[in-house]
Amino acid sequence: MLHRGESDLPVLAGRPFPLGAHPEAGGVRFAVASSVAEAVEVCLIGEDDTEQRIELTERTFGVWHGLVSGVTPGQRYGFRVHGPYDPARGLRCNPAKLLVDPYARLITGSLSHLDAAFTYQDDPLTGPPSVVDSLGSVPLSVVASPGGADTGLKPEIPFEEAVLYEVHVRGFTKRHPDVPEHQRGTYLGLAHPSVIEHLVRLGVTTVELLPVHTICDEPNLLRSGRRNYWGYSTLGFFAPHAGYASEPGREVEEFRTMVAALHAAGIEVLLDVVYNHTCEGGEGGPTLSFRGLDEGAYYLQGPEGGMRDITGTGNTLDAGSPTVVRMVTDSLRYWATELGVDGFRFDLASVLGRPGGREFDANSALLTAITCDPALARCKLIAEPWDATGEGYRVGAFAPQWAEWNGRYRDTARDFWRGAVDVRDLAYRLSGSSDLYADDLRRPWQSINFVTAHDGFTLRDLVSYNDKHNEANGEDNRDGTNDNRSWNCGAEGEIDDEGIRELRGRQARNLMATQLLSTGTPMLLAGDEMWRTQGGNNNAYCVDDETSWLDWSQDSAEAASMFAFTSKVIALRAACPALRQPQFFEGRTTHDGDPDLMWFRPGGEEMAETDWFDEGRRTLVMWIDGSGCLSRTREGELVPDHSWLIVLHAGADPVDVVLPDALYGEKYQLVLDTSVPDGTPADTEPREPGSSLPVAGRALLLLRAAH
């Protein structure tokens, strides 16, 4: 093993930017940022795990860099940092720890020996530095070749036409019978023609992938032999997770191939990205990369020393640090330009607006840098508008270019169909949440309307369980939320009672139809259309088995009807622009001078002010005018539509609804009925204005109003 200064490889000065490892001029240029280091070595790891250390003597703007001749793509490497060690002040330079390059395009290996990755002895803040060498126990960076498979033309789906579909790369195809076994659970599995055919038949326009940045499991999971299945534990923000590749070392090529296949089918690819924390955890966690390079430049520090945590994970990336701002924007730009990604969903995005951990600022340096970047401005940008603190709950508070996961929509939709919400809030959610988004230059499609997501019950479980059942997670059912807003329809869990099963299917269809017919952008959880269950587990973040994997083999009547129903409603939404308004209704009238949106009582009368405060009201009738919906073709021409009547009835007993008078429709035709398993109404004969329409208990009806 060669040590510092002993390498015989020629080293030139190179350049500080871009950061990372880049093949050029017969070698590789290395560049890594550390403002606290006194010396930095790049360490080349041979096939026999021997190490060659090369000192980077050039430092520019706090970046250590050098061009090492004779190095080629495929070379494994890491960094060793020499300098001050004072953990209480955020200084953890320890050359015994081999560090992953934060800008590595490929990362190989895993954390195999946890104790070797600790930079301290005894106490993480006051103990002496560890002298145990971590080589052989930690992941390694790999020099990547530039370029790869063409990712195809981006579909550029207008946001108001988008239907999002949240997907886990591994879980989605792990049990798919048509996918070759070695490709199941991989990027290539998601690119398989049978899988893409499912997406096309369903009608979704955009897949939102759970984290695919390189994942490293947290210490508590490693100790118990479990893994972070969801992937919200990032080690490398530039490297696709190697565990989702069918062949080692080909994750970049396979990721690009997946993107190209989806683009060819007209489907966008969004990534769920985790720029609020890393896998290194709190003070006592392992030192794998950021902590050892420059803890103070990456992580929030407490006022009296130690790390500050507003994410609930032990550490928080500091959105006010230039090092973090640069890394996040460089990472996003790489995925958008080099790997063809169409947009991003930002986990705990409120953290990105809290530089230094202070109060939220929608115009913070990091949030502004993202929206003002020319390469990112055309991407779909979606915020999860909260963090682990009360200050971080910011639904409706992001700047104009941001869409948001609308947590209030989720709660309201769930509450209404279980009989526990007032209709005022429901009306706001159905019509685009103007109370949250209309006053800051945003559009209704910036409300991401969802009922279920990876975090919580599946749709089937939402109507089958009152309580969480998370025993498989190894935390004695203490993890996961208790605020599920669910209703089991009369019995907990799986049951043979036909009446309860029918009611559950109807409630699921009500929830699915509500989110797809509401103004805004709907997001579905993958597998809900296939009647997927997790057995009541509402926090299966560490469950990598059949609990979390989609079952493509089930042929139950419930699964078939749920898919038929979901695809039917998505097709209705796509064909009817009035059901996906690009502008808020508020304050706008049609070309005839009539209102563009009306609300009615079941008796056919317009809702009065006092009706909105009737806490016992369980029926709401919504009329949408289609003549002035302001939807446009790709060329910018206005697209007219029929008017529509949506009847939502959450009461247990049937009700008769009087259809509005001829001003709102000369004829009304029923096109969707959630009391029918596939949603196809038994009677589609046109109905007269003022006639009575029977509505089954707990049902949603959609009628076309012809003029």
Side-chain angles (χ1 to χ4, degrees):
M1 181 182 294
L2 295 175
H3 296 285
R4 178 178 170 188
E6 295 180 4
S7 170
D8 57 359
L9 291 177
V11 182
L12 303 176
R15 294 171 288 110
F17 300 112
L19 294 169
H22 301 276
E24 60 180 59
V28 172
R29 181 177 53 80
F30 296 94
V32 64
S34 177
S35 60
V36 299
E38 295 172 354
V40 173
E41 296 168 317
V42 58
C43 305
L44 308 180
I45 311 303
E47 293 183 4
D48 57 355
D49 291 336
T50 56
E51 177 185 12
Q52 189 172 8
R53 302 186 186 184
I54 302 163
E55 185 173 1
L56 301 177
T57 58
E58 296 294 326
R59 181 171 61 174
T60 308
F61 314 127
V63 176
W64 299 81
H65 55 94
L67 175 61
V68 183
S69 301
V71 179
T72 58
Q75 173 67 58
R76 297 184 301 164
Y77 71 99
F79 294 110
R80 295 187 186 271
V81 175
H82 301 256
Y85 185 83
D86 188 351
R89 295 172 49 224
L91 301 170
R92 295 180 186 262
C93 299
N94 184 340
K97 307 306 167 185
L98 189 62
L99 306 177
V100 168
D101 182 357
Y103 278 68
R105 268 53 169 176
L106 288 171
I107 297 175
T108 187
S110 62
L111 177 54
S112 59
H113 185 194
L114 186 58
D115 291 343
F118 294 145
T119 193
Y120 59 89
Q121 299 181 52
D122 303 324
D123 186 274
L125 291 181
T126 62
S130 166
V131 296
V132 177
D133 197 304
S134 65
L135 175 60
S137 301
V138 295
L140 298 173
S141 313
V142 181
V143 177
S145 300
D150 184 7
T151 58
L153 292 175
K154 294 187 175 185
E156 296 190 334
I157 307 293
F159 230 134
E160 65 266 27
E161 297 178 15
V163 177
L164 276 54
Y165 188 71
E166 192 188 36
V167 174
H168 190 287
V169 170
R170 177 171 169 82
F172 195 60
T173 66
K174 185 63 179 173
R175 304 176 70 186
H176 198 297
D178 293 344
V179 176
E181 187 170 354
H182 74 284
Q183 292 182 357
R184 294 175 188 171
T186 70
Y187 304 119
L188 294 185
L190 192 53
H192 191 276
S194 292
V195 175
I196 291 179
E197 180 189 10
H198 175 86
L199 300 175
V200 172
R201 285 196 302 122
L202 182 59
V204 297
T205 68
T206 307
V207 295
E208 181 179 300
L209 304 182
L210 266 70
V212 298
H213 291 165
T214 295
I215 303 159
C216 185
D217 300 320
E218 300 95 319
N220 64 312
L221 294 178
L222 289 169
R223 291 189 181 102
S224 63
R226 294 176 294 155
R227 58 177 300 183
N228 191 314
Y229 171 73
W230 284 351
Y232 293 90
S233 186
T234 307
L235 172 60
F237 294 105
F238 292 78
H241 184 55
Y244 299 153
S246 66
E247 295 184 31
R250 293 187 55 81
E251 46 266 35
V252 173
E253 291 87 345
E254 292 190 11
F255 183 90
R256 293 174 69 109
T257 298
M258 174 196 69
V259 172
L262 290 164
H263 281 176
I267 297 173
E268 295 178 310
V269 179
L270 307 188
L271 300 188
D272 192 335
V273 289
V274 191
Y275 295 115
N276 59 83
H277 74 280
T278 79
C279 65
E280 290 186 313
E283 289 96 345
T287 294
L288 302 172
S289 180
F290 316 95
R291 194 198 312 275
L293 283 164
D294 194 342
E295 180 178 286
Y298 283 103
Y299 296 122
L300 281 181
Q301 302 293 298
E304 298 180 1
M307 303 177 72
R308 186 177 175 194
D309 176 19
I310 61 174
T311 64
T313 66
N315 69 58
T316 302
L317 288 171
D318 186 358
S321 165
T323 299
V324 172
V325 173
R326 179 172 59 200
M327 180 182 70
V328 171
T329 52
D330 284 351
S331 169
L332 291 167
R333 197 179 307 111
Y334 171 70
W335 288 91
T337 59
E338 297 296 322
L339 300 187
V341 169
D342 302 279
F344 306 91
R345 178 266 190 189
F346 293 78
D347 179 66
L348 301 187
S350 295
V351 171
L352 310 188
R354 300 183 63 184
R358 299 185 292 273
E359 292 185 358
F360 178 79
D361 178 6
N363 297 309
S364 72
L366 180 49
L367 293 176
T368 300
I370 293 169
T371 56
C372 291
D373 189 292
L376 303 177
R378 296 179 65 180
C379 292
K380 288 181 169 66
L381 302 175
I382 302 172
E384 182 185 37
W386 48 78
D387 58 31
T389 71
E391 166 61 27
Y393 187 80
R394 292 292 171 169
V395 175
F398 277 69
Q401 280 181 254
W402 291 91
E404 294 178 12
W405 269 28
N406 190 343
R408 287 186 60 180
Y409 182 95
R410 172 200 59 209
D411 295 346
T412 297
R414 290 184 177 193
D415 281 347
F416 176 75
W417 286 111
R418 69 188 182 107
V421 74
D422 65 76
V423 292
R424 286 173 297 167
D425 198 48
L426 177 65
Y428 274 122
R429 305 307 143 235
L430 292 171
S431 57
S433 294
S434 60
D435 58 328
L436 299 176
Y437 305 116
D439 61 353
D440 59 2
L441 305 179
R442 286 199 272 184
R443 300 285 189 88
W445 42 259
Q446 288 173 283
S447 171
I448 305 300
N449 298 336
F450 69 105
V451 173
T452 57
H454 69 277
D455 187 1
F457 283 146
T458 66
L459 183 60
R460 178 175 174 176
D461 290 353
L462 187 65
V463 298
S464 303
Y465 294 89
N466 283 350
D467 304 306
K468 66 187 182 184
H469 296 268
N470 297 356
E471 289 78 10
N473 301 353
E475 300 179 37
D476 297 324
N477 207 36
R478 294 188 302 269
D479 62 303
T481 182
N482 293 314
D483 183 23
N484 294 295
R485 300 171 189 252
S486 59
W487 179 45
N488 64 17
C489 297
E492 188 75 355
E494 297 303 309
I495 191 170
D496 292 331
D497 186 292
E498 290 299 324
I500 290 178
R501 291 177 63 159
E502 189 281 329
L503 177 56
R504 288 175 176 177
R506 193 180 341 145
Q507 285 288 83
R509 292 190 293 274
N510 288 334
L511 290 160
M512 181 67 77
T514 300
Q515 67 174 338
L516 287 169
L517 297 177
S518 295
T519 301
T521 300
M523 186 193 76
L524 282 61
L525 172 63
D528 277 352
E529 80 283 5
M530 298 164 62
W531 206 227
R532 184 173 79 91
T533 179
Q534 291 185 165
N537 193 325
N538 75 352
N539 189 41
Y541 77 101
C542 60
V543 183
D544 185 11
D545 60 22
E546 288 81 359
T547 302
S548 300
W549 305 338
L550 271 67
D551 182 3
W552 293 85
S553 65
Q554 66 168 328
D555 56 359
S556 68
E558 290 102 330
S561 64
M562 197 67 208
F563 182 88
F565 177 85
T566 305
S567 58
K568 177 183 178 70
V569 185
I570 292 176
L572 274 170
R573 186 181 188 276
C576 307
L579 299 175
R580 43 181 171 80
Q581 296 274 345
Q583 302 278 5
F584 287 107
F585 294 104
E586 194 173 63
R588 180 163 54 84
T589 59
T590 69
H591 64 276
D592 297 324
D594 298 321
D596 58 359
L597 176 67
M598 290 290 291
W599 306 96
F600 295 98
R601 303 171 184 164
E605 311 90 354
E606 182 182 348
M607 289 276 285
E609 183 67 21
T610 54
D611 293 327
W612 294 109
F613 296 89
D614 180 359
E615 295 183 358
R617 188 169 294 278
R618 294 292 175 264
T619 308
L620 187 63
V621 181
M622 177 185 187
W623 177 83
I624 301 171
D625 182 86
S627 64
C629 70
L630 300 185
S631 289
R632 297 179 181 273
T633 65
R634 302 295 176 89
E635 291 72 35
E637 297 179 356
L638 285 171
V639 182
D641 192 12
H642 297 284
S643 296
W644 296 91
L645 197 72
I646 304 176
V647 180
L648 302 98
H649 175 54
D653 299 323
V655 67
D656 288 333
V657 169
V658 176
L659 297 174
D661 62 36
L663 176 65
Y664 303 100
E666 296 176 2
K667 296 285 184 180
Y668 293 91
Q669 184 180 19
L670 191 57
V671 298
L672 186 73
D673 181 354
T674 62
S675 69
V676 181
D678 68 355
T680 303
D683 181 4
T684 59
E685 289 298 316
R687 298 170 183 268
E688 298 293 329
S691 63
S692 181
L693 175 68
V695 183
R698 298 191 176 98
L700 180 150
L701 305 181
L702 175 66
L703 297 94
R704 181 183 294 110
H707 288 284

